[in-house]
Amino acid sequence: MVETGFSSFSTTVDKTNRILHEIEDAFGWPKERRNLSYGALRTTLHALRDRLTVEEAAHFGAQLPMLVRGIYYDGWDPSRVPVKMGRDEFLSRVRSEFPQPLEDGVEKLARTTLEILKGHVTEGEWRDIRSVLPKDLQKLLP
């Protein structure tokens, strides 16, 4: 655990590092390239957040670790959501905001990141998220 001198800060740094490590493991990225796992997390979170209603975005955000929640809400304008996007628009958004070329494609990046995020919220919340998305976008979610 990272020691910050304040237990809730140390806990959120630890939880965030675990999520980033899970993404790195899934893609075989070394920790030294943490910018890739951070980019995957950030771009996928932002695309998902902007597709959700304000209420559902807030419910989902409340379950994220504090540091991840800050990443999630960074730059959010609740007056401009939900952005109507299906699967193709969602993937295009993730691709346009991801900082590096993708060997395995944007769909794998989004699917893998969403699968990892699913493991950090309740099953009920994940069902709620799926229920507000269009059918073609639901297929990206585990």
Side-chain angles (χ1 to χ4, degrees):
M1 179 182 260
V2 173
E3 187 51 49
T4 64
F6 192 63
S7 66
S8 62
F9 287 173
S10 297
T11 299
T12 194
V13 168
D14 185 52
K15 287 178 180 180
T16 302
N17 277 329
R18 274 189 268 152
I19 291 170
L20 294 172
H21 184 73
E22 288 175 37
I23 295 169
E24 290 159 2
D25 279 353
F27 288 98
W29 295 333
K31 185 179 179 182
E32 295 75 33
R33 300 202 57 207
R34 172 84 12 126
N35 64 313
L36 296 176
S37 56
Y38 172 77
L41 179 63
R42 186 182 194 329
T43 59
T44 304
L45 277 172
H46 285 188
L48 180 60
R49 172 202 72 195
D50 290 349
R51 181 57 187 92
L52 299 174
T53 63
V54 171
E55 183 177 357
E56 193 53 50
H59 287 281
F60 179 58
Q63 292 199 11
L64 298 171
M66 184 180 7
L67 184 55
V68 175
R69 192 177 319 131
I71 296 165
Y72 177 69
Y73 284 120
D74 184 42
W76 189 44
D77 183 350
S79 70
R80 295 183 176 201
V81 298
V83 175
K84 300 297 181 197
M85 63 177 121
R87 178 188 169 281
D88 292 341
E89 294 86 3
F90 184 91
L91 292 174
S92 179
R93 163 102 184 255
V94 171
R95 176 66 220 124
S96 71
E97 294 182 13
F98 189 72
Q100 299 288 325
L102 291 165
E103 286 182 25
D104 297 325
V106 68
E107 185 169 335
K108 181 176 179 184
L109 181 85
R111 277 184 189 276
T112 301
T113 304
L114 289 166
E115 184 174 333
I116 289 165
L117 285 169
K118 180 184 178 193
H120 295 273
V121 298
T122 65
E123 187 64 38
E125 181 56 38
W126 202 252
R127 274 193 312 271
D128 290 347
I129 289 170
R130 287 180 62 89
S131 73
V132 300
L133 297 176
K135 296 273 187 229
D136 68 330
L137 187 50
Q138 286 178 10
K139 293 176 185 176
L140 278 179
L141 277 70

